[in-house]
């Protein structure tokens, strides 16, 4: 239906959702395969611009794990992860910042501005957008927890029709640069702004009871069931920070959180503008 435009179908199915979302803030965490495929990347950007054209206020927070891994390996640095979070020593942090803020961020902004001059590229260092402290006791592991978000800057941009595109790198009061997991960064930004929705674009259909069975997708799941799935290791690895981010956002005034498959064309539109949806919606 989305690929072959049907105006009557659009009026009947999509416009009610658009009216409800107008002037609402939606934070989109963008990463995974949808970022690696040029075709999917263009589709995501076009869908974001489509939503923005109806007065929906959008913020993009991006990761870039596969590209970071590629550059680390080129420099003979072994990527390491623990519970879905990248272990980040000094040399790794330099590569993370270079790739996220210097390469991926500017590519995404450039794609937006090909169609409309409303993309603004930022890292957490700009105007102290994200201030962080160390997540761990080990000061050599430069993974951060966000302590504050400069909502004045974001609201200024949103209220003037811009789309902030944010690389998940943060500074600190002692000027240390921290790597912030992009799911966690998106959740913190969403709750700081009292956003209407947090959407995580990922490489799975959503929360599955069986990773080998797409039909086990949980279209709607509450926090208690999410916690039980984590305890049973059904939710594990890179999904842990995603669901934890959604839970944290929900408990801090974000109205709804969604994990959707960025490999599906127009997944954003299908999740936001149709009653069927395609991903997992986590609720209180």
């Amino acid at each position: 239906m989305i690929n072959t435009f049907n105006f009557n179908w659009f009026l009947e199915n999509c416009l009610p959702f658009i009216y409800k979302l107008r002037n609402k803030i939606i934070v989109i965490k963008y990463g995974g395969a949808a970022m690696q495929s040029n075709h999917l990347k263009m589709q995501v950007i076009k869908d974001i611009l489509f939503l923005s054209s109806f007065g929906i206020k959008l913020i993009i927070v991006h990761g870039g794990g596969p590209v970071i891994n590629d550059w680390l390996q080129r420099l003979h640095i072994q990527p390491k992860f623990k519970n879905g979070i990248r272990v980040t020593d000094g040399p790794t942090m330099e590569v993370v910042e270079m790739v996220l803020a210097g390469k991926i961020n500017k590519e995404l902004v450039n794609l937006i501005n090909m169609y409309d001059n409303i993309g603004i590229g930022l890292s957490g260092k700009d105007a102290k957008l994200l201030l962080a402290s160390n997540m761990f006791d080990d000061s050599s592991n430069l993974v951060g927890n966000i302590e504050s978000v400069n909502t004045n800057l974001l609201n200024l941009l949103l209220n003037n029709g811009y789309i902030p595109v944010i690389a998940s790198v943060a500074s600190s009061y002692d000027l240390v640069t921290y790597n912030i997991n992009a799911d966690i960064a998106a959740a913190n930004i969403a709750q700081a702004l009292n956003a209407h929705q947090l959407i995580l674009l990922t490489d799975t259909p959503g929360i599955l009871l069986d990773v080998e069975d797409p039909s086990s997708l949980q279209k709607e799941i509450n926090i208690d069931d999410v916690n039980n799935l984590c305890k049973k290791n059904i939710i594990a690895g890179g999904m842990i920070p995603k669901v934890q981010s959604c839970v944290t956002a929900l408990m801090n005034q974000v109205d709804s959180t969604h994990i959707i498959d960025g490999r599906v064309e127009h997944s954003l539109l299908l999740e936001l503008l149709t009653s069927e949806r395609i991903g997992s919606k986590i609720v209180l």
Side-chain angles (χ1 to χ4, degrees):
M1 287 289 189
I2 292 290
N3 288 325
T4 304
F5 186 79
N6 181 308
F7 189 67
N8 289 330
W9 179 90
F10 177 79
L11 288 175
E12 183 176 346
N13 292 277
C14 294
L15 279 183
F17 292 94
I18 289 171
Y19 289 141
K20 289 179 182 178
L21 293 175
R22 184 178 293 169
N23 294 318
K24 299 288 178 60
I25 297 174
I26 299 177
V27 179
I28 300 166
K29 184 269 178 166
Y30 178 36
M35 185 175 285
Q36 293 174 272
S37 161
N38 287 331
H39 174 71
L40 285 175
K41 192 185 297 184
M42 289 304 305
Q43 291 298 331
V44 170
I45 295 301
K46 288 179 181 178
D47 289 350
I48 286 170
L49 287 166
F50 177 78
L51 293 168
S52 176
S53 71
F54 288 100
I56 302 168
K57 298 178 179 181
L58 302 169
I59 294 175
I60 303 171
V61 180
H62 67 84
V67 183
I68 292 170
N69 290 342
D70 178 57
W71 278 95
L72 288 172
Q73 289 164 355
R74 292 189 199 188
L75 297 169
H76 307 291
I77 300 172
Q78 183 61 40
K80 297 177 183 177
F81 294 85
K82 185 176 181 180
N83 294 326
I85 303 290
R86 183 183 299 278
V87 178
T88 310
D89 59 13
T92 300
M93 185 65 244
E94 290 184 8
V95 176
V96 167
E97 184 171 16
M98 175 187 73
V99 172
L100 291 184
K103 178 176 171 59
I104 295 174
N105 187 270
K106 301 314 169 193
E107 288 176 354
L108 294 176
V109 169
N110 197 42
L111 287 176
I112 291 172
N113 291 339
M114 283 175 58
Y115 298 96
D116 199 350
N117 299 328
I118 57 174
I120 298 286
L122 301 164
S123 80
K125 288 183 170 182
D126 293 303
K128 292 184 179 178
L129 175 57
L130 303 175
L131 283 175
S133 61
N134 202 312
M135 180 180 288
F136 305 107
D137 293 333
D138 181 3
S139 61
S140 66
N141 189 2
L142 300 173
V143 177
N145 271 325
I146 294 176
E147 299 291 340
S148 67
V149 177
N150 184 346
T151 56
N152 288 336
L153 173 63
L154 293 176
N155 281 318
L156 176 67
L157 294 172
L158 292 172
N159 291 336
N160 283 278
Y162 291 99
I163 299 176
V165 182
I166 302 169
S168 55
V169 173
S171 188
S172 65
Y173 289 107
D174 54 4
L175 302 183
V176 175
T177 302
Y178 286 108
N179 178 26
I180 310 294
N181 176 276
D183 298 311
I184 295 172
N188 276 265
I189 291 168
Q191 64 196 52
L193 289 167
N194 294 319
H196 179 60
Q197 290 176 309
L198 169 66
I199 311 288
L200 306 184
L201 282 171
T202 185
D203 288 346
T204 68
I207 296 174
L208 301 169
L209 296 182
D210 179 352
V211 294
E212 302 297 328
D213 181 11
S215 69
S216 69
L217 174 69
Q218 302 300 289
K219 280 285 188 85
E220 187 166 310
I221 185 169
N222 64 41
I223 289 176
D224 289 338
D225 288 338
V226 164
N227 290 333
N228 287 332
L229 292 177
C230 289
K231 290 176 183 176
K232 295 176 182 178
N233 290 320
I234 294 173
I235 294 175
M239 280 297 286
I240 292 174
K242 296 184 190 305
V243 297
Q244 288 178 340
S245 297
C246 289
V247 168
T248 300
L250 282 171
M251 297 180 72
N252 287 276
Q253 309 307 313
V254 176
D255 293 333
S256 67
T257 63
H258 307 250
I259 300 175
I260 68 174
D261 195 339
R263 299 169 299 181
V264 176
E265 287 194 22
H266 305 298
S267 57
L268 271 174
L269 302 187
L270 292 167
E271 184 70 13
L272 291 173
L273 304 183
T274 70
S275 57
E276 293 296 317
R277 299 190 296 99
I278 65 162
S280 292
K281 179 180 179 181
I282 303 176
V283 297
L284 286 172

